[in-house]
Amino acid sequence: MFKKLFAKRTDPQVELVPGGERFAVGRSQTVLESALKAGIAYPHDCTVGTCGSCRSRLISGKVDAITPFGYTLSREELEAGYILACQAVPESDLLIEVEMVGAEAAPQAVAARLAAMQDLTHDIKLVTWETAAALHYRAGQYMKVTWPGAPGPRAYSFSAAPLPGGQTRVSSFIRKVPGGAFTERLFAGELADAAFEIEAAHGTFWLRDGTGPILLVAGGSGLAPIMSLLEDAANRGMARDAILLFGGRAARDLYCGEAIAALAARWQGRFEYRPVLSEEPVEDCRFGLVTGEIPAALTDLGGSGTVQAYLCGPPAMIDAAVALLGAQGVGLSEIHYDKFTDASTISGTGMAAR
Ligand SMILES: Cc1cc2nc3c(=O)[nH]c(=O)nc-3n(C[C@H](O)[C@H](O)[C@H](O)COP(=O)(O)OP(=O)(O)OC[C@H]3O[C@@H](n4cnc5c(N)ncnc54)[C@H](O)[C@@H]3O)c2cc1C
Ligand code: FES
């Protein structure tokens, strides 16, 4: 018994598949912390369990969660064994499946000033900043914006395709959130001359390699990274079939119609745009929840077997879409998303606003 009590405890060992990387996790450390210490480019971003970038599938072993994974991961993901590496402390040796997205350049912080604001809808603006030095990003990624007196940075997805050599003008579609610390002031014009700081690039929401069809689902300002991603793909002559579902409530929520039509015109494969409104029947728009259109879109793309899905917008929309896609047979590893969480979402986790 004494032998057992005083036996030297070895640190839990982690093995990653498919890459075969191995590392030990020190006492009370998370899988992510130890992986990064071991020099492994484990995908991550927020490190506090809110962004989902470190989503991985636990194949064997047991972990303790610092913050419940369920605040960020859907029921389907939890049932399939997904964990958040930044919140997972091993209780045994682990075998983990993770999509290594490749080492990205470390985010860079630069000074910025507001260059332009233009109405897109009644509550979304196209906001453009001019930066003191060139920023580089991949289509689909986002920046973190800070302004004087900010309670914390706010994340905004780039809305245009990146320029090859980097750029000093960056833009996003920003929705006004009632009671929001940043967007209320931005929309009131109070930050017109503010000294901003922009840190980029963040996130792993970019188009994965493949030749099969893609289904894109956006809600509200979630169209920003989707437009960036589609424009970039069109610039590269993408020939994959694509259906873009956009969800809003009423006609006044629709925007980017001309830009989407221009994209469709130069897209090499099939491209279809399907706006879906939940509260107002409008000609040429489908009526109902945007997620309700997912099964038909999958069928039109030739079935769930080869489809990659890209989802962006409010957390509730993403959770519903992940559930539906899973039920339709799309593998969770083929579903990529950015949830537009805010202080209200994060307050439920007991974490500070990002
Ligand atoms: C990866 C990512 C990308 C994003 N990209 C975009 C984008 O391209 N476009 C876009 O419009 N948005 C985007 N967002 C959302 C954006 O980052 C902000 O969260 C959003 O603009 C709100 O910021 P805010 O400061 O105005 O509101 P916040 O201050 O964050 O407040 C949001 C809401 O929460 C309420 N609230 C504040 N504190 C609490 C609390 N403690 N408890 C409960 N409720 C509280 C507020 O009253 C308000 O209604 C993105 C988010 C993420 C994570
Ligand atoms: S890095 Fe783990 S959830 Fe963001």
Side-chain angles (χ1 to χ4, degrees):
M1 176 190 167
F2 284 115
K3 210 173 167 187
K4 200 172 174 188
L5 266 179
F6 294 109
K8 188 170 180 292
R9 289 189 49 182
T10 53
D11 290 335
Q13 303 293 308
V14 178
E15 181 179 342
L16 304 180
V17 291
E21 300 91 339
R22 289 165 185 266
F23 56 96
V25 182
R27 200 178 156 78
S28 303
Q29 285 211 319
T30 64
V31 170
L32 177 67
E33 283 166 339
S34 297
L36 296 178
K37 241 185 212 167
I40 295 164
Y42 208 106
H44 71 286
D45 190 27
C46 70
T47 72
V48 294
T50 59
C51 72
S53 301
C54 63
R55 183 183 82 146
S56 319
R57 192 169 69 84
L58 184 60
I59 298 173
S60 67
K62 202 162 177 272
V63 296
D64 192 23
I66 297 173
T67 306
F69 303 138
Y71 282 124
T72 297
L73 299 180
S74 65
R75 189 164 50 84
E76 289 68 27
E77 288 169 314
L78 295 174
E79 283 171 5
Y82 280 88
I83 59 169
L84 295 173
C86 71
Q87 300 300 299
V89 176
E91 292 191 337
S92 69
D93 290 347
L94 309 176
L95 184 62
I96 292 177
E97 182 183 50
V98 58
E99 183 198 12
M100 300 298 266
V101 289
E104 288 290 301
Q108 227 194 321
V110 299
R113 63 166 199 90
L114 266 184
M117 290 216 287
Q118 184 191 325
D119 284 343
L120 293 174
T121 71
H122 61 105
D123 66 351
I124 298 177
K125 286 187 192 292
L126 168 65
V127 179
T128 304
W129 282 272
E130 205 165 287
T131 59
L135 284 175
H136 302 259
Y137 64 90
R138 281 175 81 158
Q141 286 193 295
Y142 67 91
M143 56 187 141
K144 286 184 182 172
V145 176
T146 319
W147 67 102
R154 296 293 187 261
Y156 294 105
S157 305
F158 296 103
S159 57
L163 300 178
Q167 60 215 78
T168 53
R169 276 176 87 87
V170 292
S171 55
S172 184
F173 302 158
I174 299 189
R175 187 177 72 86
K176 181 179 175 183
V177 180
F182 177 59
T183 52
E184 286 277 16
R185 292 193 63 198
L186 180 75
F187 275 57
E190 290 173 21
L191 298 171
D193 300 317
F196 285 91
E197 187 179 87
I198 292 184
E199 188 188 270
H202 289 276
T204 57
F205 184 69
W206 55 69
L207 199 64
R208 303 309 198 260
D209 290 341
T211 51
I214 51 177
L215 172 63
L216 308 113
V217 186
S221 52
L223 193 54
I226 301 272
M227 287 303 288
S228 171
L229 197 144
L230 285 172
E231 261 183 34
D232 185 59
N235 292 347
R236 291 186 285 114
M238 176 74 60
R240 297 168 72 177
D241 289 347
I243 293 181
L244 165 60
L245 300 177
F246 173 77
R249 291 199 170 98
R252 66 180 191 152
D253 295 324
L254 298 172
Y255 64 109
C256 279
E258 282 180 17
I260 295 170
L263 259 174
R266 66 193 179 104
W267 196 264
Q268 304 280 311
R270 166 188 180 174
F271 184 98
E272 250 192 82
Y273 170 50
R274 297 180 181 174
V276 190
L277 298 179
S278 61
E279 291 178 3
E280 183 187 24
V282 168
E283 207 183 329
D284 293 334
C285 290
R286 288 151 202 252
F287 186 60
L289 290 177
V290 66
T291 46
E293 292 296 326
I294 287 178
L298 284 175
T299 304
D300 294 346
L301 286 170
S304 57
T306 55
V307 171
Q308 280 178 354
Y310 295 86
L311 324 168
C312 195
M317 183 204 85
I318 307 274
D319 290 343
V322 170
L324 250 160
L325 287 162
Q328 296 285 316
V330 180
L332 287 169
S333 59
E334 300 303 332
I335 304 174
H336 307 279
Y337 59 78
D338 249 359
K339 281 186 189 180
F340 280 8
T341 48
D342 63 25
S344 64
T345 334
I346 295 162
S347 71
T349 67
M351 284 178 271
R354 38 191 292 162

